């Protein structure tokens, strides 16, 4: 089992960042290169139990398909998203108010397996760094309180 943790400051209120994270269908808007949102697997994508399907590029033409489920929420502050059995991949998102914005932290626990197991941790770290940058850019662009 491996663990990575990444964080960033976002110049947007926690409620806005939380909204983008909670609705799994929003992921397509901030996924970086090497991650693809495929489809929703449940009618609602923003409630506990919601599921979506994504692809993660492991190396070159090799992609890994994962089913993600919204496991738990703490309204406005935290989410747990992972594979349905929570054994392969679990992301714990924490949002801390850091006026006037938000400190967003993601901790990812993952199970390494298969021929490309050693590479999977490196790929995830790079992907989540990029994902945080894209999430920050999107949230800041949508922040109605931003000074322009």
């Amino acid at each position: 089992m491996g663990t990575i943790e990444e964080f960033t400051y976002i110049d947007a209120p926690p409620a806005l960042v939380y909204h983008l994270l909670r609705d799994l269908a929003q992921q397509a808007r901030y996924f970086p290169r090497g991650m693809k949102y495929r489809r929703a697997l449940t009618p609602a994508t923003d409630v506990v139990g919601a599921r979506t399907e994504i692809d993660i590029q492991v190396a070159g033409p090799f992609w890994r398909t994962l089913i993600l489920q919204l496991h738990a929420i703490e309204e406005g502050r935290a989410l747990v998203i992972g594979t349905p059995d929570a054994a392969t991949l679990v992301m714990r998102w924490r949002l801390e108010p850091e006026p006037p914005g938000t400190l967003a932290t993601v901790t990812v626990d993952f199970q390494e397996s298969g021929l490309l197991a050693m590479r999977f941790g490196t790929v995830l770290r790079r992907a989540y760094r990029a994902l945080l940058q894209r999430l920050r850019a999107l949230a800041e662009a949508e922040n109605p309180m931003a000074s322009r």
Side-chain angles (χ1 to χ4, degrees):
M1 184 68 106
T3 300
I4 60 171
E5 184 170 275
E6 296 292 331
F7 63 93
T8 193
Y9 175 79
I10 301 173
D11 190 14
L16 175 59
V17 179
Y18 177 78
H19 169 74
L20 293 171
L21 290 169
R22 180 176 174 167
D23 188 348
L24 300 181
Q26 295 282 332
Q27 291 176 341
R29 297 177 64 199
Y30 55 83
F31 267 2
R33 198 175 123 236
M35 293 179 84
K36 291 181 189 173
Y37 178 87
R38 294 186 79 183
R39 61 192 171 113
L41 299 175
T42 54
T45 57
D46 64 349
V47 297
V48 172
R51 290 185 179 189
T52 59
E53 185 176 39
I54 70 164
D55 290 331
I56 297 176
Q57 186 177 24
V58 180
F62 300 102
W63 289 77
R64 184 170 182 184
T65 299
L66 296 171
I67 305 297
L68 294 183
Q69 178 175 319
L70 182 55
H71 286 286
I73 58 172
E74 182 182 336
E75 194 66 39
R77 294 188 54 91
L79 303 105
V80 178
I81 302 168
T83 54
D85 64 359
T88 306
L89 183 75
V90 175
M91 296 159 280
R92 294 181 312 277
W93 287 92
R94 291 183 316 278
L95 303 173
E96 299 293 332
E98 192 70 38
T102 306
L103 179 64
T105 304
V106 61
T107 303
V108 182
D109 296 321
F110 57 96
Q111 181 65 45
E112 300 171 298
S113 62
L115 293 173
L116 299 172
M118 298 296 284
R119 176 126 173 89
F120 195 56
T122 302
V123 167
L124 282 179
R125 180 171 301 282
R126 189 176 305 130
Y128 278 93
R129 273 189 196 135
L131 183 143
L132 279 168
Q133 290 173 355
R134 291 178 57 109
L135 175 63
R136 180 179 61 223
L138 177 62
E140 289 176 355
E142 292 189 2
N143 181 4
M145 304 306 286
S147 56
R148 302 199 192 273

